[in-house]
Amino acid sequence: MKTVSLLDCTLRDGGYINDWNYGYNCILTIFNRLNNANIDIIEIGFLDDRNIKNLNRTINPSTKIVDEQFASIKNKKSMVVAMIDYGTCSLENISEPNFIDGIRVIFKKKDIDGAIEFCKKIKEKGYKVFIQPVSITGYSDIEMLNLVEKVNKVNPYAMSIVDTYGLMHKNNMIKYFYIMDSNLNPDIKIGYHSHNNFQLAYANTIEFIEAKTSRSIIVDASLYGMGKSAGNTCIELLAMYINNEFNKDYDINEILEAIDLDIIKYKNNTTWGYSLPFYISALNQCHPNYVEFLRKKCTLSIKSINEILGKITKDKKLLFDKNYIENLYIEYQKKEIDDSNVIDQLKNQFKDKTLLLLGPGSSIVKEKNKIIEYINKNNPIIVGVNHIPSDYKIDYLFISNTKRYEKYANILINKKNNFKIIATSNISAINNEFDFVFNYGKLLNNIELIEDNSMSMFVTALIRMNIKKLSLAGFDGFKANESNYYDNFLSFSNTNQDAQLFNEAIIKQLNKLSKFINIEFITDSIYANKY
């Protein structure tokens, strides 16, 4: 007869939010609340022997340490399980069952045979084994049938549908369920672990629960949905639903107390749950780190990010490859054009002139008097780099950043200012508003973190024009935990989190450029005396 069991994975999956550092007392409090709430199965964290013993965390190197961590628990009603990511915990660190009743083993498709053999040996030690193939949407029907055949030989306690990146809609989730239900040994339970990239975690879990079967099933959830990326199904919602539909007796008050006392504090400081980046990764059926990588570039519109993700080949989608996505980014930006005439035209316009580049740093406000004095004395050609300063009349605007272009598009289209527009070829003009266009690819440098840094690109263009001297203002450098722009409107990410790395990379590039052009800083800058 079909039974429905509720598994809480807060202490394990929720650990991606706080580096598994809940604190010893909080770990025990959460466990006791879930145990008192009559949750059927509680997952207490990862077993991972790459980590050292730490009773404040829910990722520890052996079962013996978990036994010690939970030694004070006297009234264990729930089944207790831990998780192993195959290859991260040796059998020597798995003792005979004590506090832990079962072990869930996650593994990638390439590791099936080794993981299945590992599961067999865990079962021989006396544990209930849960077989958890990650990214199940990466399996074809034939591959699933082959996997099920191997799972049947182990005859584990359960096998789960693991929607690692929240890619499933109802129909394909049900398809995988019936492939497993029709072919697994009848005593193997089927589980479902969802993520909320499409706002479907709860709805899909209800569909899973209501599937026509006589087989017992297990559904994963976490307190308040706390979990990796877009988070999980909320256990408080599932407990309510299962109580109503299956006459269970989960204590909702105990669950709510755990959320209010132990989980809300993390929600206030960290984000999980549905969000645009996780939606985009699921939309393109790819690893969310690809989205994060492209967003951190701070040069791309959402449309451009989506277009790049659409170019990822199937074999690369779910395994993040930094070099691969870097190359896709560069290739996407490289819209090759012949800009030799543009270089010649601007060379003639800049020849024998004093050039002043204005960056978006706060110094163009703080040191306005110094800049105005310089302008009055030298009468320079003034170029705004990826911004239009309100306090200065610029002669040219250089745009190399799609996001900045989108911000200023209406002004540029309507030509509301008397300056000429220089753009790079990676930007598509809405209404032919660009006066000059540089070949983006010819302006890149080979320093990964700043290969398309706007200041470096424009200075490189000047070197191509054989310009020998220029002045800079507003290129202050990055400082951690401070606003790095005179206007927050110009900031698209927490670049200052990597402030030192950005500064070091720019200094390195300035040293290269300064061999060909004399660069003078007229406002305070981290770079001024270091290249």
Side-chain angles (χ1 to χ4, degrees), residues 184-201:
L184 278 173
N185 295 342
D187 56 334
I188 300 174
K189 296 176 173 61
I190 298 179
Y192 178 50
H193 181 89
S194 62
H195 279 269
N196 208 27
N197 298 61
F198 285 145
Q199 286 281 53
L200 290 174

Side-chain angles (χ1 to χ4, degrees), residues 54-157:
N54 188 338
L55 300 186
N56 290 310
R57 301 178 77 221
T58 55
I59 182 168
N60 272 297
S62 70
T63 57
K64 283 186 177 180
I65 292 173
V66 174
D67 292 341
E68 177 186 345
Q69 189 175 34
F70 289 90
S72 64
I73 302 296
K74 303 302 182 185
N75 183 31
K76 187 181 81 167
K77 298 182 291 182
S78 305
M79 181 193 300
V80 172
V81 298
M83 179 172 279
I84 295 174
D85 187 347
Y86 173 68
T88 65
C89 186
S90 65
L91 288 166
E92 289 73 23
N93 286 310
I94 304 171
S95 305
E96 299 301 310
N98 185 357
F99 185 73
I100 298 172
D101 304 297
I103 293 178
R104 306 214 291 172
V105 179
I106 58 173
F107 56 91
K108 298 179 175 66
K109 187 163 61 173
K110 65 182 180 65
D111 296 321
I112 286 174
D113 291 336
I116 293 294
E117 183 63 24
F118 183 72
C119 290
K120 180 180 177 182
K121 291 177 179 177
I122 290 175
K123 183 179 178 183
E124 290 170 356
K125 284 180 175 280
Y127 288 94
K128 294 179 173 66
V129 174
F130 297 64
I131 293 182
Q132 311 271 130
V134 300
S135 301
I136 202 164
T137 50
Y139 287 78
S140 67
D141 293 356
I142 294 298
E143 288 171 331
M144 277 303 302
L145 287 170
N146 290 336
L147 175 58
V148 166
E149 183 179 353
K150 294 176 181 181
V151 169
N152 281 336
K153 293 177 181 178
V154 178
N155 201 45
Y157 182 80

Side-chain angles (χ1 to χ4, degrees), residues 467-482:
I467 302 300
K468 297 299 184 181
K469 181 180 179 182
L470 78 154
S471 300
L472 303 179
F475 296 95
D476 306 346
F478 296 100
K479 297 179 181 179
N481 303 315
E482 291 187 25

Side-chain angles (χ1 to χ4, degrees), residues 434-453:
F434 300 154
D435 298 287
F436 306 96
V437 179
F438 288 143
N439 186 329
Y440 171 89
K442 288 187 176 180
L443 303 183
L444 299 175
N445 63 70
N446 60 2
I447 303 174
E448 179 183 318
L449 195 62
I450 59 157
E451 71 260 293
D452 56 357
N453 172 266

Side-chain angles (χ1 to χ4, degrees), residues 10-11 14-15 18 20-24 26-27 30 56 58 226 266:
T10 307
L11 292 172
N18 59 9
W20 297 275
N21 191 5
Y22 288 90
Y24 178 70
C26 183
I27 291 168
I30 289 173
N56 290 310
T58 55
M226 184 180 183
Y266 296 112

